[in-house]
Amino acid sequence: MIGVDIVNIQRISKMKQKDAFVQRVLTPDEQLTYKSLGDLKRKDQWLAGRFAAKEAIIKALPQDVSSYQDINITQVNKKLVCDVQNVLVHVTISHEDDYAVAFAMIAT
């Protein structure tokens, strides 16, 4: 199964003004990475990319996910992956101008 999602980076930038959004979407490990990014533009791109990736992962999974906190995207051998519900999902994220897009595919 596959999933794809696209988000407007400016929309995510406005939503992140509420700390609850960042805490709701990112796991504690992801929050550490997010906070370590120095440049505001890069932080907005990164957050939008992670949000799009989690939405794409939810679309690819056969069963519902109760929380974004259940999805922790990590980097393994320079590739983004997520192990959720005992399912390995490969993820790719791209940014272009005002948008971030993510593609998720369940590993077979």
Side-chain angles (χ1 to χ4, degrees), residues 31-85:
Q31 288 178 42
L32 288 174
T33 301
Y34 172 75
K35 289 176 183 175
S36 74
L37 300 171
D39 180 64
L40 182 61
K41 180 179 178 181
R42 179 64 188 123
K43 284 177 108 169
D44 289 348
Q45 287 177 333
W46 194 90
L47 180 59
R50 283 304 189 276
F51 182 76
K54 290 184 182 208
E55 286 289 315
I57 290 166
I58 289 167
K59 292 172 183 175
L61 291 171
Q63 58 262 27
D64 290 337
V65 175
S66 60
S67 167
Y68 292 115
Q69 294 293 312
D70 295 335
I71 303 170
N72 187 54
I73 300 168
T74 59
Q75 191 170 8
V76 177
N77 297 327
K78 299 184 181 182
K79 305 285 184 187
L80 296 177
V81 295
C82 176
D83 185 354
V84 60
Q85 300 174 346

Coordinates of all heavy atoms in Angstrom, one line a residue, residues 31-85:
Q31 N 10.9 16.0 18.2 CA 10.9 17.4 18.8 C 12.4 17.9 19.0 O 12.7 19.0 18.8 CB 10.1 17.5 20.0 CG 8.6 17.4 19.8 CD 7.8 17.5 21.1 OE1 8.1 18.2 21.9 NE2 6.8 16.6 21.1
L32 N 13.2 16.9 19.5 CA 14.6 17.3 19.7 C 15.3 17.7 18.4 O 16.1 18.7 18.4 CB 15.4 16.1 20.4 CG 15.0 15.8 21.8 CD1 15.7 14.6 22.3 CD2 15.4 17.0 22.7
T33 N 15.1 16.9 17.4 CA 15.7 17.2 16.1 C 15.1 18.6 15.6 O 15.9 19.4 15.1 CB 15.4 16.1 15.1 OG1 15.9 14.9 15.5 CG2 15.9 16.5 13.7
Y34 N 13.8 18.8 15.7 CA 13.2 20.0 15.3 C 13.8 21.2 16.0 O 14.1 22.2 15.3 CB 11.7 19.9 15.5 CG 10.9 21.2 15.3 CD1 10.7 21.7 14.0 CD2 10.5 22.0 16.3 CE1 10.0 22.8 13.8 CE2 9.8 23.1 16.1 CZ 9.5 23.6 14.9 OH 8.8 24.7 14.7
K35 N 13.9 21.1 17.3 CA 14.5 22.3 18.1 C 16.0 22.5 17.7 O 16.4 23.6 17.9 CB 14.3 22.0 19.5 CG 12.8 22.1 20.0 CD 12.6 21.7 21.4 CE 11.2 21.7 21.8 NZ 10.9 21.3 23.1
S36 N 16.7 21.5 17.3 CA 18.1 21.7 17.0 C 18.3 22.4 15.7 O 19.5 22.8 15.4 CB 18.8 20.3 17.0 OG 18.5 19.6 15.8
L37 N 17.3 22.5 14.8 CA 17.5 23.2 13.5 C 17.5 24.7 13.8 O 16.6 25.2 14.4 CB 16.3 22.8 12.6 CG 16.2 21.3 12.3 CD1 14.8 21.1 11.5 CD2 17.3 20.9 11.5
G38 N 18.5 25.3 13.3 CA 18.7 26.8 13.6 C 17.9 27.7 12.8 O 17.3 28.6 13.3
D39 N 17.8 27.5 11.5 CA 17.2 28.4 10.6 C 15.6 28.3 10.7 O 15.1 27.2 10.5 CB 17.7 28.2 9.2 CG 17.1 29.1 8.2 OD1 17.3 30.3 8.3 OD2 16.4 28.5 7.3
L40 N 14.9 29.4 10.8 CA 13.4 29.3 10.9 C 12.8 28.7 9.6 O 11.9 27.9 9.7 CB 12.9 30.7 11.2 CG 11.4 30.8 11.3 CD1 10.9 30.0 12.5 CD2 11.0 32.3 11.5
K41 N 13.3 29.1 8.5 CA 12.8 28.5 7.2 C 13.0 27.0 7.2 O 12.1 26.3 6.8 CB 13.5 29.2 6.0 CG 12.9 28.7 4.7 CD 13.6 29.4 3.5 CE 13.1 28.8 2.2 NZ 13.8 29.4 1.1
R42 N 14.1 26.6 7.6 CA 14.4 25.1 7.6 C 13.5 24.4 8.6 O 13.0 23.3 8.3 CB 15.9 24.9 7.9 CG 16.3 23.4 8.0 CD 16.1 22.7 6.6 NE 16.3 21.3 6.8 CZ 15.4 20.4 6.4 NH1 14.3 20.7 5.8 NH2 15.7 19.1 6.6
K43 N 13.3 25.0 9.7 CA 12.4 24.4 10.7 C 11.0 24.3 10.2 O 10.3 23.2 10.3 CB 12.3 25.3 12.0 CG 13.5 25.1 12.9 CD 13.5 26.1 14.1 CE 13.2 25.3 15.3 NZ 13.4 26.0 16.5
D44 N 10.5 25.3 9.5 CA 9.2 25.2 8.9 C 9.1 24.1 7.8 O 8.1 23.4 7.8 CB 8.8 26.6 8.2 CG 8.5 27.6 9.3 OD1 8.4 27.3 10.5 OD2 8.4 28.8 8.9
Q45 N 10.1 24.0 6.9 CA 10.2 23.0 5.9 C 10.2 21.6 6.6 O 9.4 20.7 6.1 CB 11.4 23.1 5.0 CG 11.4 24.3 4.1 CD 12.7 24.4 3.3 OE1 13.8 24.0 3.8 NE2 12.6 24.9 2.1
W46 N 11.0 21.4 7.6 CA 11.1 20.2 8.3 C 9.8 19.7 8.9 O 9.4 18.6 8.7 CB 12.3 20.2 9.3 CG 12.7 18.9 9.8 CD1 13.7 18.1 9.3 CD2 12.2 18.2 10.9 NE1 13.9 17.0 10.0 CE2 12.9 17.0 11.1 CE3 11.2 18.5 11.9 CZ2 12.7 16.1 12.1 CZ3 11.0 17.5 12.9 CH2 11.7 16.4 13.0
L47 N 9.2 20.7 9.6 CA 7.9 20.3 10.3 C 6.8 20.0 9.3 O 6.1 19.0 9.4 CB 7.5 21.5 11.2 CG 6.2 21.3 11.9 CD1 6.2 20.1 12.9 CD2 5.9 22.6 12.7
A48 N 6.8 20.8 8.2 CA 5.8 20.5 7.2 C 6.0 19.2 6.5 O 5.1 18.4 6.2 CB 5.8 21.6 6.1
G49 N 7.3 18.8 6.3 CA 7.6 17.5 5.7 C 7.3 16.4 6.6 O 6.7 15.4 6.1
R50 N 7.5 16.5 7.9 CA 7.1 15.5 8.8 C 5.6 15.3 8.9 O 5.1 14.2 9.0 CB 7.7 15.7 10.2 CG 9.2 15.4 10.4 CD 9.5 14.0 10.0 NE 10.8 13.5 10.3 CZ 11.9 13.7 9.5 NH1 11.8 14.4 8.4 NH2 13.1 13.2 9.8
F51 N 4.9 16.4 8.9 CA 3.5 16.4 9.0 C 2.9 15.7 7.7 O 2.1 14.8 7.8 CB 2.9 17.8 9.1 CG 1.4 17.8 9.2 CD1 0.7 17.4 10.4 CD2 0.6 18.1 8.1 CE1 -0.7 17.4 10.5 CE2 -0.8 18.1 8.2 CZ -1.4 17.7 9.4
A52 N 3.4 16.0 6.5 CA 3.0 15.4 5.3 C 3.3 13.9 5.3 O 2.5 13.1 4.9 CB 3.6 16.1 4.1
A53 N 4.5 13.6 5.8 CA 4.9 12.2 5.9 C 4.0 11.4 6.8 O 3.6 10.2 6.5 CB 6.4 12.1 6.4
K54 N 3.7 11.9 7.9 CA 2.8 11.2 8.8 C 1.4 11.0 8.2 O 0.8 9.9 8.4 CB 2.7 11.9 10.2 CG 4.0 11.7 10.9 CD 4.0 12.3 12.3 CE 5.4 12.2 13.0 NZ 5.4 12.1 14.4
E55 N 0.9 12.0 7.5 CA -0.4 11.9 6.8 C -0.3 10.8 5.8 O -1.2 10.0 5.6 CB -0.8 13.2 6.2 CG -1.3 14.2 7.3 CD -2.6 13.9 7.9 OE1 -3.6 13.5 7.1 OE2 -2.8 13.9 9.1
A56 N 0.8 10.8 5.0 CA 1.0 9.7 4.0 C 1.1 8.3 4.6 O 0.5 7.4 4.0 CB 2.3 10.0 3.2
I57 N 1.8 8.2 5.7 CA 1.9 6.9 6.4 C 0.5 6.5 6.8 O 0.1 5.3 6.7 CB 2.8 7.0 7.6 CG1 4.3 7.2 7.1 CG2 2.7 5.8 8.5 CD1 5.3 7.6 8.2
I58 N -0.3 7.3 7.4 CA -1.7 7.0 7.9 C -2.5 6.5 6.7 O -3.2 5.5 6.8 CB -2.3 8.2 8.5 CG1 -1.7 8.4 9.9 CG2 -3.8 8.0 8.7 CD1 -2.0 9.8 10.5
K59 N -2.3 7.1 5.5 CA -3.1 6.7 4.3 C -2.6 5.3 3.8 O -3.4 4.6 3.2 CB -2.9 7.7 3.2 CG -3.6 9.0 3.5 CD -3.3 10.1 2.5 CE -3.9 11.4 2.9 NZ -3.5 12.5 2.0
A60 N -1.3 5.0 4.0 CA -0.8 3.7 3.5 C -1.1 2.5 4.4 O -1.1 1.4 4.0 CB 0.7 3.8 3.4
L61 N -1.3 2.8 5.7 CA -1.6 1.7 6.6 C -2.9 1.1 6.5 O -3.9 1.8 6.2 CB -1.4 2.2 8.1 CG 0.1 2.5 8.5 CD1 0.1 3.2 9.8 CD2 0.9 1.3 8.5
P62 N -3.1 -0.2 6.7 CA -4.4 -0.9 6.6 C -5.3 -0.6 7.7 O -6.5 -0.6 7.5 CB -4.0 -2.4 6.5 CG -2.7 -2.5 7.2 CD -2.0 -1.2 6.9
Q63 N -4.8 -0.2 8.9 CA -5.7 0.1 10.0 C -5.4 1.6 10.5 O -4.4 2.1 10.2 CB -5.6 -0.9 11.2 CG -4.2 -1.1 11.7 CD -3.5 -2.3 11.2 OE1 -3.7 -2.7 10.0 NE2 -2.6 -2.8 11.9
D64 N -6.3 2.1 11.3 CA -6.2 3.5 11.7 C -5.1 3.6 12.8 O -4.8 2.7 13.5 CB -7.5 3.9 12.4 CG -8.7 4.1 11.4 OD1 -8.4 4.3 10.2 OD2 -9.8 4.0 11.8
V65 N -4.5 4.8 12.8 CA -3.6 5.2 13.8 C -4.2 6.2 14.8 O -4.9 7.1 14.3 CB -2.3 5.9 13.1 CG1 -1.4 6.4 14.2 CG2 -1.7 4.9 12.2
S66 N -4.1 6.0 16.1 CA -4.8 6.8 17.0 C -4.2 8.1 17.3 O -4.8 9.1 17.7 CB -5.0 6.0 18.4 OG -3.7 5.7 18.9
S67 N -2.9 8.3 17.0 CA -2.2 9.5 17.3 C -0.9 9.6 16.4 O -0.3 8.6 16.1 CB -1.8 9.5 18.8 OG -0.8 10.5 19.1
Y68 N -0.6 10.9 16.1 CA 0.7 11.1 15.4 C 1.9 10.7 16.3 O 2.9 10.4 15.7 CB 0.9 12.6 15.1 CG -0.1 13.2 14.1 CD1 -1.1 14.1 14.4 CD2 -0.1 12.8 12.8 CE1 -1.9 14.6 13.5 CE2 -0.9 13.3 11.8 CZ -1.9 14.2 12.2 OH -2.7 14.7 11.3
Q69 N 1.7 10.6 17.6 CA 2.7 10.2 18.5 C 3.1 8.7 18.3 O 4.1 8.2 18.7 CB 2.3 10.4 19.9 CG 2.2 11.8 20.3 CD 3.5 12.5 20.3 OE1 4.5 12.1 20.9 NE2 3.5 13.7 19.7
D70 N 2.2 7.9 17.6 CA 2.5 6.5 17.3 C 3.4 6.4 16.1 O 3.8 5.3 15.8 CB 1.2 5.8 17.0 CG 0.2 5.7 18.2 OD1 0.7 5.8 19.4 OD2 -1.0 5.6 18.0
I71 N 3.7 7.5 15.4 CA 4.5 7.4 14.2 C 5.8 8.2 14.5 O 5.8 9.4 14.6 CB 3.7 8.1 13.0 CG1 2.4 7.4 12.8 CG2 4.6 8.1 11.8 CD1 1.5 8.1 11.8
N72 N 6.9 7.5 14.6 CA 8.2 8.1 14.8 C 9.1 7.8 13.6 O 9.4 6.6 13.3 CB 8.9 7.5 16.0 CG 10.2 8.3 16.4 OD1 10.2 9.5 16.5 ND2 11.2 7.5 16.5
I73 N 9.3 8.8 12.8 CA 10.1 8.7 11.6 C 11.6 8.8 11.9 O 12.0 9.8 12.5 CB 9.7 9.7 10.5 CG1 8.2 9.6 10.2 CG2 10.5 9.6 9.3 CD1 7.6 10.7 9.4
T74 N 12.4 7.8 11.5 CA 13.8 7.9 11.8 C 14.6 7.7 10.5 O 14.0 7.3 9.4 CB 14.2 6.7 12.7 OG1 13.8 5.5 12.2 CG2 13.5 6.9 14.1
Q75 N 15.9 8.0 10.6 CA 16.7 7.8 9.4 C 17.6 6.6 9.6 O 18.3 6.5 10.7 CB 17.6 9.1 9.2 CG 18.3 9.1 7.9 CD 18.9 10.4 7.6 OE1 18.9 11.3 8.5 NE2 19.4 10.6 6.4
V76 N 17.6 5.7 8.7 CA 18.4 4.5 8.7 C 19.2 4.4 7.4 O 18.5 4.4 6.3 CB 17.6 3.2 9.0 CG1 18.5 2.0 8.9 CG2 16.8 3.3 10.3
N77 N 20.5 4.4 7.4 CA 21.3 4.3 6.2 C 20.9 5.4 5.2 O 20.7 5.1 4.0 CB 21.2 3.0 5.6 CG 21.8 1.9 6.4 OD1 22.7 2.1 7.2 ND2 21.2 0.7 6.4
K78 N 20.7 6.6 5.7 CA 20.3 7.8 4.9 C 18.9 7.7 4.3 O 18.6 8.4 3.3 CB 21.4 8.1 3.8 CG 22.7 8.4 4.4 CD 23.7 8.8 3.4 CE 25.1 9.1 4.0 NZ 26.1 9.5 3.1
K79 N 18.1 6.8 4.8 CA 16.7 6.6 4.3 C 15.8 6.8 5.4 O 16.1 6.4 6.6 CB 16.5 5.2 3.7 CG 17.5 4.8 2.6 CD 17.2 5.4 1.3 CE 18.1 4.9 0.3 NZ 18.0 5.6 -1.0
L80 N 14.6 7.4 5.1 CA 13.6 7.6 6.2 C 12.7 6.4 6.3 O 12.2 5.9 5.2 CB 12.8 8.9 5.9 CG 13.5 10.2 5.9 CD1 12.6 11.3 5.5 CD2 14.1 10.5 7.3
V81 N 12.5 5.9 7.5 CA 11.6 4.8 7.7 C 10.8 5.0 9.0 O 11.1 5.9 9.8 CB 12.4 3.5 7.9 CG1 13.1 3.1 6.6 CG2 13.4 3.5 9.0
C82 N 9.8 4.2 9.1 CA 8.9 4.3 10.3 C 8.4 2.9 10.5 O 8.0 2.2 9.6 CB 7.7 5.2 10.0 SG 6.6 5.2 11.3
D83 N 8.5 2.4 11.8 CA 8.0 1.1 12.2 C 6.7 1.4 13.0 O 6.9 1.9 14.2 CB 9.0 0.3 13.0 CG 8.5 -1.1 13.3 OD1 7.3 -1.4 13.0 OD2 9.3 -1.8 13.8
V84 N 5.6 1.2 12.4 CA 4.3 1.5 13.2 C 3.4 0.4 13.0 O 3.3 -0.2 11.9 CB 3.7 2.9 12.7 CG1 3.4 2.8 11.2 CG2 2.5 3.2 13.5
Q85 N 2.8 0.0 14.1 CA 1.9 -1.2 14.1 C 2.5 -2.4 13.5 O 1.9 -3.2 12.8 CB 0.6 -0.9 13.3 CG -0.2 0.3 13.8 CD -1.4 0.7 12.9 OE1 -1.5 0.2 11.8 NE2 -2.3 1.5 13.4

